């Protein structure tokens, strides 16, 4: 039911409830029931409005991320896109002792996990921890609101005997680390750790570097990271 229909129904219920209360005291039970229904409808409307606001935020994030992937890292447009993302995630002032930034995340369960093409983003859809809310499980992107040096760890478990998969850790379109998984008669594991500087508003993600087309990524595969120390 749309918000407009909810509003119309609420007005009708209100008129019935308060009209009957004045004219017929025998309908007190019916009025009480109508008021309870009105309260439930109000709560439903508030939840729906909140859900719509979250959807709008996710759409804005996807828009900024899609712009970043096609913009050259040294162009003015890339910086404009980064600044736009910071509007969604304002930088934290790390200069005061009372506001020491805490950022850390870990996620597993790749959403699309079979027959992945080159440069396909691995979306680790289950966030096990997300201190600071900088990892976005719907897109697979980590976007910090604090500039500093970060530690990242990528682990890929491939359950496709006889096949291989190469992945890479990417910062704003620039490859920062690469991983190899495969060449086994059973499930194989590959990955690694990387440490590098990330500006507030920049995006970090994992994507497919190359594949022989027979990949099948297990749910145990993970993407993790944390802030080692912020810029002074």
């Amino acid at each position: 039911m749309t918000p407009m229909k909810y509003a119309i129904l609420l007005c009708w219920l209100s008129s019935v409830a308060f009209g009957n209360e004045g004219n017929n005291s025998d309908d007190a039970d019916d009025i009480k029931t109508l008021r309870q229904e009105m309260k439930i409808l109000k709560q439903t409307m508030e939840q729906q409005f909140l859900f719509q606001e979250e959807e709008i935020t996710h759409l804005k994030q996807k828009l900024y991320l899609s712009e970043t992937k096609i913009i050259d890292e040294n162009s003015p447009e890339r910086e404009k896109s980064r600044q736009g993302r910071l509007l969604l995630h304002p930088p934290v002032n790390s200069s005061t002792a009372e506001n020491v930034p805490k950022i850390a995340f870990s996620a597993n369960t790749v959403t699309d996990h079979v027959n992945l093409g080159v440069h396909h983003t691995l979306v680790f859809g289950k966030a096990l921890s997300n201190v600071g809310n900088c990892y976005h499980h719907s897109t697979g992107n980590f976007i910090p609101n604090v500039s500093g040096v970060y530690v990242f760890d990528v682990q890929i478990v491939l359950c496709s005997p006889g096949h291989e998969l190469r992945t890479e850790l990417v910062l704003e379109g620039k490859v920062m680390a690469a991983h190899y998984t495969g060449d086994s008669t059973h499930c194989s594991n590959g990955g690694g750790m990387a440490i590098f500087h990330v500006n507030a508003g920049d995006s970090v993600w994992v994507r497919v570097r190359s594949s022989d087309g027979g990949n099948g990524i297990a749910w145990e595969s993970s993407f993790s990271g944390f802030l080692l120390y912020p810029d002074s």
Side-chain angles (χ1 to χ4, degrees):
M1 184 178 290
T2 62
M4 180 62 70
K5 290 182 179 179
Y6 276 130
I8 295 174
L9 182 57
L10 285 173
C11 291
W12 179 79
L13 289 172
S14 178
S15 63
V16 172
F18 292 104
N20 288 345
E21 186 177 33
N23 298 328
N24 193 348
S25 59
D26 295 336
D27 293 336
D29 292 339
D30 292 338
I31 294 174
K32 182 178 181 181
T33 301
L34 288 174
R35 286 176 174 172
Q36 291 175 345
E37 292 178 354
M38 291 170 61
K39 182 178 180 180
I40 294 174
L41 287 173
K42 180 181 178 182
Q43 294 174 346
T44 302
M45 289 179 62
E46 292 175 348
Q47 293 175 354
Q48 184 165 346
F49 285 138
L50 179 61
F51 175 78
Q52 290 176 347
E53 290 178 356
E54 292 177 349
E55 287 294 311
I56 292 174
T57 300
H58 283 310
L59 289 174
K60 289 181 178 180
Q61 293 172 352
K62 290 181 179 180
L63 176 61
Y64 288 128
L65 293 175
S66 62
E67 290 176 349
T68 300
K69 292 181 180 179
I70 62 175
I71 296 175
D72 182 80
E73 61 177 314
N74 295 319
S75 67
E77 288 79 7
R78 195 207 69 81
E79 177 61 21
K80 181 179 179 181
S81 177
R82 189 179 73 86
Q83 293 297 329
R85 288 195 301 255
L86 286 175
L87 294 177
L88 296 175
H89 309 282
V92 174
N93 181 8
S94 59
S95 61
T96 61
E98 295 80 8
N99 194 20
V100 178
K102 296 180 181 180
I103 301 176
F105 76 96
S106 182
N108 62 16
T109 311
V110 177
T111 303
D112 297 324
H113 60 278
V114 295
N115 302 323
L116 306 179
V118 175
H119 284 183
H120 181 95
T121 298
L122 299 185
V123 179
F124 297 81
K126 182 178 181 180
L128 304 177
S129 61
N130 195 11
V131 180
N133 295 317
C134 294
Y135 176 73
H136 305 278
H137 63 85
S138 61
T139 64
N141 295 83
F142 172 72
I143 307 175
N145 54 5
V146 175
S147 297
V149 175
Y150 287 80
V151 178
F152 296 96
D153 181 72
V154 178
Q155 295 296 324
I156 304 296
V157 179
L158 188 66
C159 286
S160 299
H163 294 280
E164 64 179 25
L165 175 68
R166 296 178 186 272
T167 57
E168 53 191 16
L169 183 63
V170 182
L171 167 64
E172 289 292 301
K174 181 180 179 181
V175 177
M176 306 302 292
H179 327 99
Y180 172 81
T181 310
D183 193 21
S184 173
T185 56
H186 303 286
C187 290
S188 54
N189 180 73
M193 179 183 293
I195 304 174
F196 51 85
H197 184 272
V198 182
N199 289 317
D202 282 351
S203 179
V204 181
W205 69 95
V206 181
R207 71 185 183 188
V208 175
R209 183 183 183 93
S210 65
S211 171
D212 59 9
N215 49 66
I217 301 176
W219 70 269
E220 295 92 343
S221 302
S222 63
F223 178 31
S224 307
F226 61 89
L227 174 65
L228 185 60
Y229 58 85
D231 288 352
S232 57

